Amino acid sequence: MKKLWLSLLGVAAAIGLATAAVPSATTQAADNSKTLKVGMEANYAPFNWTQNDASNGAVKIEGASGYANGYDVQMAKKMAKALGKKVVIVKMSWNGLQPALTSGKIDAIIAGMSPTAERRKAIDFTDTYYKSKLTIVVRKDSKWAKKTNINQFKNAKITAQLNTFHYEAISQLKGAIKESAMDDFPAMRVALESGVIDGYVSEVPEGITAKDANPNLTYLKFSNANGFKTNPEDTDLAIGVRKNSSLKAPMNEALSKISQKQRDTLMNNAVANQPSTTSTGNWLVNLLKQYGGMLLQGTGMTLLISLIGTIVGFLIGLLVGIIRTIPRPQTAGKRGLRAVINWLLAVYIEVFRGTPMIVQAAVLYYGAAQAFGINMDRTVAALVIVSINTGAYISEIIRGGITSVDAGQFEAAHALGFTHLQTMLKVILPQAIRNSLPAVTNEFIVNIKDTSVLSVISVSELFFSAETIAGQNFQFFHTYLVVSAIYLIMTFTISRLFRLVERHMAGPKNYNVMNNQMQVVTPKIG
Amino acid sequence: MTEPIIEVQNLKKVFGDHEVLTDINLTVNAGEIVSIIGRSGSGKSTLLRNINLLEQPTSGDILFHGNSVLAPDFDITHYRAKAGMVFQSFNLFNNLTVLENVVTPQVTVLKRDPAEAKQHALELLNTVNMDPFINAKPDQLSGGQKQRVAIARAEAMDPEVLLFDEPTSALDPEMVDDVLAAMSNLAHTGLTMIIVTHEMAFARDISDRVVFMNDGVIAEEGTPEQIFNAPHEEVTQAFLKRYLNRA
């Protein structure tokens, strides 16, 4: 048992070191820093996408394995050059962009974002850097492919991306059925191809991309009179910056020097350079060859977060277990202190068990930055959230384990003069841990799967990698099939490993005292 | 050797509305062996558990070498190490082997050197004939074997007082003798023993003094001869009747 405690201590120390070794929290992106941190989805070709190498002027994505490229990336490079700064591309989900900007995690949003009045309430925008036009992407073989007027979409099932003016523009399609908004374009393309929807509202460059990527799709060209009535504020794409940012003026000046012709060239290059999705040969081999590294890295990240999260959560659980079983002290002051601590622990457990981890992650990562200016590393935030969250669950699991230990064990230890801590460490916890091991295994497995929600703070774990890959190759089924196999291999291995540990802790089963008394070796005395 | 080691003064213990100990006064001298007998529910075990502070007295006092164990600055941990306890249900540590059960408390509480503690443990396990089982887990032992290990565990702390809480009540009849023999070996070695028991013959043979408890008070106390052969009180006579008739 001593060995177990030593190894637990060792693990704890290792975690401490690992946490210290993780690059310290990124410094608050300031207007006067040497870098220009630009946020984008890197999943919205031809404006921005993720690729595996630095070809065609792509830029390395901060804190991840891939490179970003596209119209937005090229524009970001031009802006950085004009400002005399180094460009840094930060990949994050669409809904994470605005909070990341206001909380100072990035300096600018160049992500095909339109300066709507609503957004202007929270952030500032530069002048237009691209002017686009709305279109509808449909299946080539459907009757909608021949429409030339937006009034011809009676009973068509139409959707668009969540939180965009595209979605509001669906109301202009008379008689069309407005489906629920979707998260990203790859998902809409799949929905369209599978017939869940008849079309989605998008902008022309995205339409061109969709058509190139998938020969079954096409986009519609409307004349100005028959097309969508749009607000320039919407179709104009602008660079988002913080309110009153000193970056706005120099950026506007730089933009004014980029002619319409240059912009068209940039867009044409982007459309031409975007990742091709056609492939030949075995899909699995291709997938692994092209994205094996990304999958491996995602798997590693998932394992790291869930392993450390479970171990730290386990230690938290033990600590809470020790504290909550402290016997009622004699003096009123200590009794009061104990009551306060127990109440705090109960609040901790209820809060972290009672709210979704995805919400906790968003609150910690964005909230801490926005409210207190604390800017923490994504991976650190992920480790903290998973650990604290797991700790809340394991505290209750350990409590159950402690309750199931016979009261006589406590009494014997106390009667021998053990302190509470000694009683817990030497006698109670070893038994409680054994009782709770199956439930702890469960927590570990849940963690492996639940780290997928951390994509909300752009942690590049396995699910986030899968989303990125599927967004590039459009092979949703194949990609997610491979990823589910990886998840299954991880969880299955872990459940087997823990079964072995359990068996080891239970001790040998074939030790029959009554029959082999004489075979037990008696050490010599003296 | 008439120096008092444990003095119980006006001890009262209440569980909710139920008064288990009404007013207990008992002085035990160093080296003395005192047996406490009485009906189930008369408060014998509760008295023992109060002496060891496993239960907190409602009122009254308990003195150890003349010092109140209830005083705020009293070193309870040290006191418990000096006043060992043997339980009816053995309470061996299930996660530890027989040897570890005897070694760990010495190392943890008395800060004894592990090698020395092991040596001590092996000697004591030898005297209770449990040395062939040092690597067994408690689950693999019979009740009598467990109780003998528990006695060795309590002894290993070099206590001044040992409290026995019905040590043979949970045992099969054929196991009882081994345990009683182990206890007899301890008697009159200078160790003070307070034994709650239903083994009347044993109590008569081993004790210097016998205490009869009834309804939360000490109804009668005296030498074994006096209590077993010529009890004064009616309740004592009634309780011992069955036993006396049989003997």
Side-chain angles (χ1 to χ4, degrees), chain A residues 36-357:
Chain A
L36 179 69
K37 287 196 165 199
V38 179
M40 59 183 66
E41 291 174 283
N43 212 357
Y44 180 44
F47 287 99
N48 49 67
W49 67 77
T50 308
Q51 62 188 49
N52 292 323
D53 51 39
S55 62
N56 302 319
V59 176
K60 182 99 176 69
I61 296 171
E62 188 206 42
S65 57
Y67 293 79
N69 205 349
Y71 183 85
D72 290 338
V73 175
Q74 297 312 319
M75 194 55 79
K77 283 166 82 175
K78 283 185 189 298
M79 288 302 114
K81 199 175 171 190
L83 293 165
K85 292 174 189 274
K86 191 174 172 296
V87 69
V88 172
I89 301 295
V90 183
K91 175 174 172 155
M92 49 179 53
S93 67
W94 177 254
N95 289 320
L97 287 170
Q98 247 174 276
L101 180 64
T102 50
S103 62
K105 291 185 186 294
I106 54 175
D107 301 311
I109 300 171
I110 309 184
M113 187 179 271
S114 307
T116 59
E118 203 154 316
R119 290 195 187 114
R120 279 187 194 281
K121 284 181 198 156
I123 57 177
D124 272 0
F125 282 96
T126 63
D127 296 339
T128 310
Y129 76 91
Y130 185 79
K131 191 172 178 60
S132 82
K133 203 171 163 184
L134 283 185
T135 180
I136 303 176
V137 178
V138 295
R139 278 189 306 280
K140 200 182 242 169
D141 58 1
S142 71
K143 63 175 177 176
W144 312 109
K146 296 181 186 67
K147 306 295 181 190
T148 54
N149 189 312
I150 60 165
N151 291 328
Q152 298 167 323
F153 285 85
K154 196 167 158 54
N155 292 330
K157 289 178 280 186
I158 306 288
T159 189
Q161 191 177 21
L162 189 67
N163 288 342
T164 58
F165 79 98
H166 306 170
Y167 193 64
E168 282 148 35
I170 297 173
S171 313
Q172 295 182 36
L173 303 170
K174 271 194 200 121
I177 302 159
K178 195 171 181 176
E179 295 287 324
S180 298
M182 298 179 84
D183 268 340
D184 51 34
F185 285 92
M188 284 189 276
R189 287 178 201 165
V190 171
L192 177 58
E193 203 176 0
S194 63
V196 176
I197 53 172
D198 293 318
Y200 65 86
V201 176
S202 175
E203 290 168 49
V204 172
E206 199 280 331
I208 299 171
T209 309
K211 188 183 167 199
D212 288 354
N214 191 327
N216 297 325
L217 305 182
T218 189
Y219 70 101
L220 304 178
K221 296 183 185 100
F222 301 113
S223 67
N224 282 341
N226 294 336
F228 288 95
K229 303 285 174 287
T230 52
N231 187 333
E233 275 201 341
D234 289 337
T235 48
D236 292 0
L237 302 183
I239 300 171
V241 290
R242 268 186 298 282
K243 281 271 186 204
N244 307 318
S245 168
S246 62
L247 296 174
K248 188 176 166 180
M251 276 187 175
N252 277 339
E253 199 192 327
L255 283 172
S256 68
K257 287 176 188 151
I258 305 171
S259 70
Q260 186 59 45
K261 199 174 168 197
Q262 274 176 297
R263 294 178 190 200
D264 287 344
T265 314
L266 269 184
M267 181 51 80
N268 288 341
N269 287 344
V271 171
N273 290 337
Q274 59 187 304
S276 129
T277 55
T278 49
S279 57
T280 52
N282 185 301
W283 63 266
L284 185 62
V285 174
N286 284 337
L287 190 74
L288 293 181
K289 214 190 277 170
Q290 201 173 355
Y291 301 107
M294 207 187 275
L295 285 172
L296 207 64
Q297 210 152 22
T299 308
M301 186 58 105
T302 292
L303 265 182
L304 177 84
I305 294 174
S306 48
L307 182 69
I308 291 185
T310 309
I311 291 172
V312 175
F314 183 66
L315 294 176
I316 293 176
L318 291 183
L319 196 66
V320 172
I322 291 172
I323 294 172
R324 287 215 292 186
T325 48
I326 290 175
R328 198 161 168 271
Q330 298 302 318
T331 59
K334 281 186 184 167
R335 270 206 291 273
L337 184 68
R338 189 182 78 136
V340 169
I341 291 172
N342 279 347
W343 182 81
L344 285 175
L345 289 177
V347 168
Y348 156 64
I349 290 169
E350 291 308 327
V351 166
F352 280 88
R353 277 201 317 182
T355 54
M357 191 154 80

